[in-house]
DNA sequence: GAGTAAACGAGACGGTACGTCGAGTCTTTTC
DNA sequence: GAAAAGACTCGACGTACCGTCTCGTTTACTC
């Protein structure tokens, strides 16, 4: 083994051509941002990536799985600065979620993507594993700190608490269309850490 | 009930053929239940309803608007028995929401429908007006009673509180895929009426 | 019935759009002449005719059947001048066959077309009925005149005699690639009318 | 047999792997017989021969050339028993041709093969040289004997005479689809050796 | 009632994208 | 160090629906 082989090596799966792989994922992400999921076509991706359609179908079973990879590889969880200040960290995470889904392509892409994934167990699980789970876990970590600090009871249903705030963000963006006001993150923080029911802003 | 409401008024205008109209909506609902939104095609509806495609496009601008009508005309808000018991009424409403979206076609159809509606302001608003708003208002009415009874502060952000529980139900069904456990409705009721953060069931 | 209705009416089959039909056949013929059968693609025809692919597939089962129609509707049997002179008429017909298959697109197109038709009974029969049969019948008529005039015995196997000269033309063009020399038609006429075995030209 | 023929000489050049070469040709012949030319794919041959596609393309420029080799190496000219009896030898040769093209795979494969070869001068010539020429020469040899024996005039156009009978066989099999009746070979022999125009069998 | 305009069923149309297949080329790994 | 294995680009395949557009044919309102 020379020092060269110690260099990081792109984890190859089979004989997959890395250049094509990256070109495809990048083109997908680009098209997703340019026009949204409803404009994303396998043919379009192939053309934009300079790749044959068959190459895409060789590695991804569907448009949905392609989008999952493009999104999970581009949408990282916010800085997650551990300021030591629980309240601040929680607020940052909530705000990051709000931003991700109201400002990036993921927001508008999600319903169609989820609809497509609904009948693809494989990709569906990939989406949950790669995209949702990391966020859920980051949230859970903060909740556990809140428990240690006495803000939450020890037997808090962390999963449900997470779904309450995260779900309502999704709901407002995707379904009700309700605008996400400035103080929203603070309302969530107050609910979680202080048990305060949401109130209208004093303003 | 005024005398006006006694005069039967077909809600549609022009020379619309009522028989066809109903046949179309019924066929849509049937196909929606048989195979979900992704199997719903205008051609299929036309064939199932024994109707020409043009007739559908004459009255509905899109597949999405057709689905909206089929769903809103078939998915009524639960009995809404005003038992006088706030806690019981709230629990019933929450449970009705859970049932509607986990047991009926609407659950699986929603993401695709919403995705389609995303670029159709008209139908999108119809969906919110006909489907979401009545539920939102029913929920708000209960919240106001809770305020009167002193369970909630007067300046409670009713809209957000509603989105918290409703949103998390959607989220679990459509996105995270988390199962909806039996005691879920009670956890929501406890949160709303008693300000109790969700806890793991004592089991 | 006015005199107008007596005017010839294009025989419609169903609701077929005559403009599209003609555009398709013309485009096929054009492409066939531009690049030959191996360049003829349904997609290309659709594009050249300004027509959707589905329209072609609605009316023709295959590329082969499309070519058959284009060829049979464009390649008419030569003038067939009945000069009264049997010898001259026969020579003209033989020469017409030589020309058709060495000078027009049909020559190069034939092997591929026949290969395609080999597994399509329907189109195959159409080809024989619309293209070969009329030529065969024209030839047979001349042979019968030859019998009347005493150039051929009464029990001549007209079909085989026809295949002898016609077959050898096909063979030279399509398979052996042997050039078709100037005096060829005369050799065939001499064989048929005078029973003369082919000889090298005196030249 | 000279001493040269005792030294075994693999007819192929370079570093060609003889085992692979044979496996490829055999697989081609097998597939050709199983499903005809339209089912013959280079991928299929590679798989059936246990060989990489590149190996095939290293030695053959195209699918057509592969088929040419498979056919020429498997379809030998009939026994060619020189019985001394010209009439019998000629009849045998004609019948062999009829059999080859009506009973073996070559018949159905030919049009497609010829169509493919049409734009490959190299393989096209190989086909004529390896396949047609030997048959043509065998036929010519018989014609020359017929001239010597006085059945044919000295200046007979042997090439055309050959194309007459051979061409009409091809024509009937590939194009007109006319059945090849039992007495056909005799009719050809009578035409060639006796100058007798074809007649209907006395039956 | 009769006449007439619309809405209707039927379904062909131009399109777009689908997912598949095979050709012929190029790359990696294995023997 | 040749060749198997197989991934690659490319282009066409035939299919499915889209939303638009004639076609005759009811249907139901006006006169």
């Amino acid at each position: 083994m020379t020092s060269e082989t110690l260099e990081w090596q792109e984890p190859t799966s089979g004989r997959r051509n890395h250049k094509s792989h990256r070109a495809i994922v990048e083109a997908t992400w680009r098209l997703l941002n340019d026009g949204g999921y409803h404009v994303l076509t396998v043919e379009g991706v192939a053309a934009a990536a300079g790749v044959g359609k068959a190459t895409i179908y060789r590695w991804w079973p569907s448009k949905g799985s392609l989008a999952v990879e493009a999104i999970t590889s581009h949408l990282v969880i916010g800085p997650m600065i551990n300021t030591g200040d629980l309240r601040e960290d929680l607020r940052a995470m909530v705000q990051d979620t709000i931003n991700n889904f109201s400002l990036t392509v993921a927001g508008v892409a999600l319903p169609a993507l989820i609809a497509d994934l609904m009948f693809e167990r494989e990709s569906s699980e990939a989406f949950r594993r790669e995209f949702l789970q990391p966020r859920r876990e980051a949230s859970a970590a903060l909740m556990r700190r809140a428990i240690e600090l006495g803000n939450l009871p020890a037997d808090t249903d962390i999963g449900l608490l997470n779904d309450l705030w995260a779900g309502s963000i999704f709901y407002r963006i995707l379904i009700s269309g309700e605008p996400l006001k400035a103080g929203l993150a603070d309302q969530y923080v107050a609910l979680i850490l202080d048990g305060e029911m949401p109130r209208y802003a004093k303003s």
Side-chain angles (χ1 to χ4, degrees), chain A:
Chain A
M1 261 197 189
T2 71
S3 62
E4 276 166 56
T5 63
L6 292 174
E7 298 284 330
W8 178 79
Q9 291 256 349
E10 160 103 347
T12 54
S13 52
R15 292 255 169 67
R16 192 166 193 163
N17 179 322
H18 307 313
K19 207 143 66 173
S20 294
H21 183 182
R22 283 210 207 88
I24 290 166
V25 174
E26 289 312 313
T28 302
W29 181 245
R30 202 168 28 222
L31 291 178
L32 223 33
N33 279 278
D34 283 4
Y37 191 83
H38 77 295
V39 142
L40 188 72
T41 66
V42 175
E43 244 162 30
V45 171
V51 138
K53 267 201 291 182
T55 301
I56 296 180
Y57 283 110
R58 198 188 327 274
W59 300 109
W60 290 272
S62 66
K63 190 168 76 165
S65 60
L66 195 51
V68 167
E69 177 159 349
I71 290 175
T72 57
S73 73
H74 280 90
L75 229 55
V76 299
I77 303 179
M80 271 310 92
I81 317 128
N82 188 326
T83 60
D85 179 346
L86 170 65
R87 191 168 297 267
E88 184 49 35
D89 283 359
L90 182 56
R91 214 205 52 80
M93 147 160 288
V94 170
Q95 191 60 49
D96 182 54
T97 299
I98 292 176
N99 292 344
N100 260 354
F101 295 97
S102 61
L103 303 180
T104 77
V105 67
V108 283
L110 265 192
L113 175 56
I114 286 161
D116 271 12
L117 294 182
M118 205 147 263
F119 301 93
E120 297 182 52
R121 182 158 298 284
E122 195 84 6
S123 308
S124 195
E125 275 166 17
F127 176 67
R128 285 180 186 137
R129 185 178 58 248
E130 309 286 342
F131 186 78
L132 296 179
Q133 199 46 47
R135 286 164 174 76
R136 210 178 177 74
E137 180 44 41
S139 174
L142 290 180
M143 307 283 177
R144 285 192 294 267
R145 267 171 64 199
I147 290 173
E148 281 169 28
L149 295 175
N151 290 96
L152 284 170
D155 62 348
T156 299
D157 186 338
I158 289 176
L160 182 52
L161 194 48
N162 174 65
D163 290 352
L164 277 168
W165 69 265
S168 61
I169 290 172
F170 273 81
Y171 185 72
R172 295 205 144 186
I173 293 172
L174 305 182
I175 297 173
S176 77
E178 201 87 347
L180 302 173
K181 286 168 298 186
L184 189 60
D186 292 319
Q187 288 181 300
Y188 288 128
V189 172
L191 172 69
I192 295 165
L193 296 188
D194 309 321
E196 250 196 41
M197 288 290 106
R199 313 229 183 158
Y200 292 118
K202 303 121 254 234
S203 70

